Amino acid sequence: MIRALLLGTSLAGVGAVGWVAAQSPSAPLSEGKKGAPPPESSSLPPAASDVELVERVITARREYEASLKALHEHYVRHGDKLRNQWTEQELMGHHMLFKPSYNLDVKDVPPPSLEAKVNVREANELYRMAMEYKGKGLGSDYVLNQRRAEILFREILEKYPNSDKIGDVAYQLGDLYEGRAYKQYDRAAKYFERSFQWVRGSRTDARIRAATLYDRQLNERAKAIELYRDVLAHDTDPERLKLAERRLSDLSGQRK
């Protein structure tokens, strides 16, 4: 199972992004056509756009992994155990390598317009498998298990963007990216936002976690204030409401 996951599943963030052109809510979506224009980046000014360069990095990652897998299969067919072992070790290193999202708008975070509305058996199974890895292990095994979980969670978003599990997937990805295996706080905050945007009436702590990340880690005061106010408007948990009120008072300079 572990080897199959590493060698047979597309790396998170570099496979086909099904949510870009979602048509059928219950069937896998094919990879977009080559040469298609990159998505517009809404968070960067035009003069500072890195879209083309990030696209090239994503493509290079995908091609590198595909080449290693093809070489691995070649050595398996020819019974070359030593070189087969080398390819497995290199693939393992590739999955362990820290791969930041240089631009969250480029084939990373799906849009807020997705809706979690269709029960998809394949998505449910992928989610179950991901949760078997998430949070498990020690040392390098822990890091590798978080990579495995990420791969499976992102496969759900890529293949089944209208699955009723996407809100849960977004929350779990936010938790992963905030955790010690990643510490990618901007990515974590955005996925926490998506988790309550995709599931209306959500009562998880996703809002307060996103607000806290913008507040404490990303120093985005305006965004933090917006989300703390959102917590007060939508949440019902007394502790989360108390925290949001306190931080709003601190950020507005009104606390005595």
Side-chain angles (χ1 to χ4, degrees), residues 3 10 33 48 70 81 87 127 165 169 183 189-190 196 207 222 225 231 245 247:
R3 182 174 299 179
S10 61
K33 294 181 179 179
K81 293 182 179 180
T87 57
Y127 187 86
K165 294 297 181 293
V169 168
K183 296 184 179 180
K190 191 63 69 176
F196 62 78
R207 282 186 175 87
I225 289 174
V231 170
E245 288 177 347
R247 288 306 298 152

Side-chain angles (χ1 to χ4, degrees), residues 161-173:
N162 288 15
S163 162
D164 61 6
K165 294 297 181 293
I166 62 172
D168 295 328
V169 168
Y171 184 91
Q172 296 300 336
L173 283 171

Side-chain angles (χ1 to χ4, degrees), residues 145-217:
N145 280 336
Q146 307 326 293
R147 299 287 193 266
R148 290 167 176 144
E150 180 197 18
I151 288 170
L152 292 165
F153 285 135
R154 293 183 68 88
E155 187 174 350
I156 296 171
L157 298 182
E158 291 161 5
K159 290 184 176 180
Y160 310 105
N162 288 15
S163 162
D164 61 6
K165 294 297 181 293
I166 62 172
D168 295 328
V169 168
Y171 184 91
Q172 296 300 336
L173 283 171
D175 192 52
L176 275 177
Y177 292 136
E178 184 181 7
R180 56 189 172 91
Y182 290 87
K183 296 184 179 180
Q184 297 182 26
Y185 301 121
D186 58 341
R187 214 174 186 185
K190 191 63 69 176
Y191 274 101
F192 280 134
E193 287 186 83
R194 292 293 185 265
S195 74
F196 62 78
Q197 290 168 341
W198 293 340
V199 181
R200 305 302 176 187
S202 173
R203 289 294 182 267
T204 70
D205 63 349
R207 282 186 175 87
I208 198 71
R209 292 187 69 174
T212 302
L213 284 168
Y214 283 116
D215 181 8
R216 303 291 193 182
Q217 300 293 343

